Amino acid sequence: MATQSKLAAFDQLRNALLEARANSDRLFAIVREDSLYERPIPERNRIVFYIGHLEAFDWNLFRTHLFSRESPTPVFDKLFAFGIDPVDGGLPTDQPADWPSLTEVRTYVQTLRRLIDDALEAGNFPASNSDSYPSETLLRIAYEHRLMHIETLAYMFHRLPYSRKHPQSQETLSAPPAANAMLDIPAGQATLGLSPGTSAPFGWDNEFGSFTAIVPDFRIDKFMVTNAEFLCFVEDGGYRNPHLWSPEDWQWKERHSISHPAFWNQSVSGWTYRGMFEELPFPSNWPVYVSHAEASAYARWANKSLPTEAQWHRAAYGTPQATEQSYPWGTSTPESNAGNFDLRRWDAAPVNAYAANKSAFGVVGQLGNGWEWTSTPFAPFPGFQAFSYYPGYSANFFDGKHFVIKGGSARSSACFLRRSFRNWFQPHYQYVYAGFRCVSE
């Protein structure tokens, strides 16, 4: 029975990986053929890199740790192995001509898919590999890695001109103006991370090292800060006041002439919003998407601060009964009416559109509709151990130059809504679907 159960779990994950592969193919199809060598975000590779990278990652992971196969394309395996995240201001300078042709890249992708699928179908993995690196774990890594890139690619494609994309439809959501307020969160505990040997189906290395933080009482915004609220900061000269910014953040803002959120556009008639497929009227009650630097400046302007990771957890998962729960709304897994997540929309939704997405303390919308910045630098939990099969996943970013974000966006798959999942970005990165809410003592 145990063997049958293991085989069923393996087949389920293999099918999930195939479904994620189909989702990534559909996402690439949004971009017009003549635009696949564009670089929508200066800090990232050209789109063509990601077409090859998703398969190269799976192939390099599986052939190294699950099955032994000679590679027919070692040069491409290396070329497409790793993405970039420059933190020193240096940007990539490669040109389209430096990359292989689309025909070569797509042939590479199809070759690897055939080799991977044949090997997964055959099974019979060497005992030394499958014992050290359980096949279910490796499949889960490949699956979640692809889903992460589906979100990354979505916000990259968001920066492309509309003429370079094939438009997609989405449901129109409306809600009355959101009247934000601060809610009292009593002192209590917040349990962060996973314990080794936990019954959770999977966690990345930075999720392990469970510990309990005692969090003093504080107040937190009921809703994420909206575009309308952030507009008050803009109109009050927030981008012109150096006292609201750290020296590093101010230098960054001045060097790049940043005067408003990257998702906003200004015209003679006022502000509009850069939607995924069209320019939209200014959505006052959507969450504002900004960098950590911009969120921090707003919080100072409001005489508040960004929550710590522990405060965010306490507000999301704590209860007045001094217990903790799996999701803000309880124990049930995410459902379609609980929030804006799991690839359901291309853009944000009103912060008050999902009443059921509420914590026991009344905090609304902490899962989905936009990641939420914290003031906590991304760092290991106690007892951290890097994955031997992906040693640089987290450890390469424990540099004090990245901050934890929590929650998830419209393009976050449901698996990333688990309580222990941690995401992180540089403080000057404007393009991710990330907003924030404020706290005060």
Side-chain angles (χ1 to χ4, degrees):
M1 289 293 293
T3 301
Q4 289 181 343
S5 176
K6 188 173 182 179
L7 287 174
F10 179 85
D11 287 341
Q12 184 177 15
L13 281 169
R14 183 177 61 178
N15 290 335
L17 179 59
L18 294 176
E19 181 180 354
R21 186 190 288 175
N23 279 334
S24 61
D25 287 348
R26 284 192 289 270
L27 187 59
F28 282 119
I30 287 174
V31 181
R32 296 187 182 276
E33 192 84 354
D34 60 359
S35 300
L36 290 171
Y37 284 80
E38 293 296 310
R39 191 198 311 277
I41 294 176
E43 295 90 340
R44 293 290 178 257
N45 275 314
R46 297 180 183 276
I47 297 170
V48 66
F49 163 81
Y50 298 94
I51 298 175
H53 170 66
L54 295 178
E55 255 55 52
F57 179 90
D58 293 355
W59 172 246
N60 289 330
L61 177 71
F62 291 150
R63 74 180 182 86
T64 303
H65 300 299
L66 191 58
F67 46 75
S68 298
R69 294 286 180 94
E70 289 294 324
S71 177
T73 51
V75 174
F76 277 17
D77 294 348
K78 183 177 181 180
L79 176 66
F80 293 110
F82 300 107
I84 54 175
D85 183 30
V87 296
D88 56 0
L91 299 176
T93 59
D94 57 277
Q95 299 301 311
D98 297 329
W99 293 91
S101 69
L102 276 177
T103 298
E104 291 175 298
V105 176
R106 285 169 171 162
T107 299
Y108 171 70
V109 168
Q110 293 305 317
T111 298
L112 294 193
R113 286 186 177 182
R114 185 169 57 253
L115 291 171
I116 290 170
D117 292 349
D118 288 348
L120 293 179
E121 179 68 29
N124 300 322
F125 309 125
S128 59
N129 283 349
S130 59
D131 289 347
S132 301
Y133 312 103
S135 56
E136 294 88 350
T137 298
L138 296 173
L139 279 170
R140 186 76 183 219
I141 288 173
Y143 168 66
E144 291 203 1
H145 171 265
R146 188 175 291 263
L147 293 178
M148 289 177 193
H149 273 293
I150 285 175
E151 179 165 359
T152 301
L153 289 164
Y155 71 70
M156 280 180 58
F157 296 172
H158 211 116
R159 310 309 304 175
L160 282 171
Y162 299 129
S163 61
R164 296 185 179 274
K165 293 179 282 192
H166 299 287
Q168 309 287 307
S169 62
Q170 67 179 349
E171 178 188 6
T172 299
L173 292 177
S174 60
N180 215 341
M182 299 206 81
L183 303 178
D184 293 320
I185 309 297
Q189 69 180 33
T191 303
L192 281 70
L194 296 170
S195 299
T198 180
S199 59
F202 177 75
W204 292 90
D205 53 10
N206 67 74
E207 297 178 55
F208 288 94
S210 178
F211 68 99
T212 298
I214 303 302
V215 183
D217 63 284
F218 65 99
R219 306 182 76 208
I220 190 169
D221 286 337
K222 179 178 181 178
F223 301 112
M224 292 177 71
V225 171
T226 64
N227 286 307
E229 290 176 289
F230 200 85
L231 181 59
C232 296
F233 165 75
V234 174
E235 292 179 336
D236 195 46
Y239 279 86
R240 301 190 301 273
N241 186 348
H243 299 294
L244 300 175
W245 304 73
S246 73
E248 297 79 12
D249 293 348
W250 180 260
Q251 290 172 13
W252 161 76
K253 184 194 72 66
E254 290 291 284
R255 185 168 61 250
H256 296 284
S257 301
I258 294 168
S259 60
H260 58 79
F263 288 82
W264 294 12
N265 291 322
Q266 191 171 29
S267 66
V268 293
S269 58
W271 294 102
T272 59
Y273 190 86
R274 184 185 188 128
M276 180 62 157
F277 296 108
E278 61 180 335
E279 197 81 4
L280 299 170
F282 190 71
S284 297
N285 60 354
W286 288 11
V288 66
Y289 291 159
V290 290
S291 67
H292 184 275
E294 293 163 292
S296 298
Y298 175 95
R300 293 188 191 97
W301 171 80
N303 295 314
K304 301 175 185 177
S305 59
L306 299 182
T308 65
E309 186 175 6
Q311 285 177 321
W312 194 94
H313 264 258
R314 172 75 178 143
Y317 306 113
T319 71
Q321 294 76 35
T323 60
E324 294 180 276
Q325 46 199 25
S326 300
Y327 297 97
W329 52 79
T331 58
S332 59
T333 55
E335 301 293 341
S336 60
N337 64 347
N340 184 17
F341 47 70
D342 209 23
L343 316 182
R344 296 192 183 110
R345 286 178 56 80
W346 294 102
D347 290 309
V351 296
N352 54 345
Y354 299 94
N357 193 333
K358 182 170 66 174
S359 79
F361 295 119
V363 185
V364 175
Q366 286 185 269
L367 296 190
N369 212 28
W371 294 94
E372 300 190 21
W373 288 107
T374 75
S375 62
T376 300
F378 182 56
F381 286 159
F384 170 81
Q385 290 186 324
F387 277 172
S388 56
Y389 30 75
Y390 196 172
Y393 172 73
S394 300
N396 287 354
F397 303 94
F398 295 151
D399 55 9
K401 298 178 181 179
H402 295 76
F403 286 84
V404 174
I405 60 174
K406 295 288 295 185
S409 79
R411 306 311 295 173
S412 298
S413 295
C415 61
F416 300 131
L417 303 182
R418 60 181 180 266
R419 192 169 108 178
S420 59
F421 187 77
R422 309 170 80 205
N423 205 348
W424 65 93
F425 284 95
Q426 297 179 41
H428 301 153
Y429 197 61
Q430 290 186 288
Y431 309 111
V432 69
Y433 302 132
F436 66 101
R437 65 185 78 218
C438 294
V439 298
S440 64
E441 300 300 326

